[in-house]
Amino acid sequence: GEEGRPDILETAVSRFEKDNVTVDLIAMVHLGDAEYFQRLNQSLRAYDTVFYEMVGGPYTREKARLSREAVDADSSLAQVHNLQNMAKSLLGLEFQLDGIDYFAENFVHADMTEEQFMEATGGGDAVLSDMLARAMKVAQAGQLPGLPSSEAESNQMMMLMFGALMSGDSNLLKRSLGPILA
């Protein structure tokens, strides 16, 4: 990292208290070092209840098996999962679904089913392309600090990423992708 300091990605915990009730909102990334997920699992064990977001319904052992086998390849959610797995491999990171213990007794699903998600978003390939289109608009408007603002800077970033890919240097690739992923 810069000036000899390590590069880090930090996530936040926000605490809300009212009367005798305390609620912590814990940010979590989809990809991280194995140690990040180990520490997160340890801290989540201390909570009475952990409500987790996961579009597609509760994470069951059957879903975990299907996810690993990539049986559901026609699903838009499976396509997103496949992209995340590719990024996991390239960056030398752990995937959230493999790192977090969603089978812990205190975990409760609190999100849409896949059917509800598809109904709310129009489903199909439109979901992923819409997300990418929105990201491109934000990038073009210059609203993403750290991203290249000129063709020369874009070329330099692409060469850095290509070099990191070719050398197998996952740390260099993480640093070059950091502004994009943030």
Side-chain angles (χ1 to χ4, degrees), residues 9 13-15 21 33 42 54-55 60 80 115 120 128 148 152 178:
L9 172 66
V13 176
S14 295
R15 175 163 282 187
V21 177
D33 292 315
Q42 185 176 3
M54 182 179 298
V55 173
T60 63
V80 170
E115 293 78 21
L128 190 53

Side-chain angles (χ1 to χ4, degrees), residues 128-143:
L128 190 53
S129 62
D130 184 49
M131 286 173 29
L132 291 173
R134 280 192 259 159
M136 291 300 291
K137 283 182 184 175
V138 171
Q140 289 172 346
Q143 297 171 338

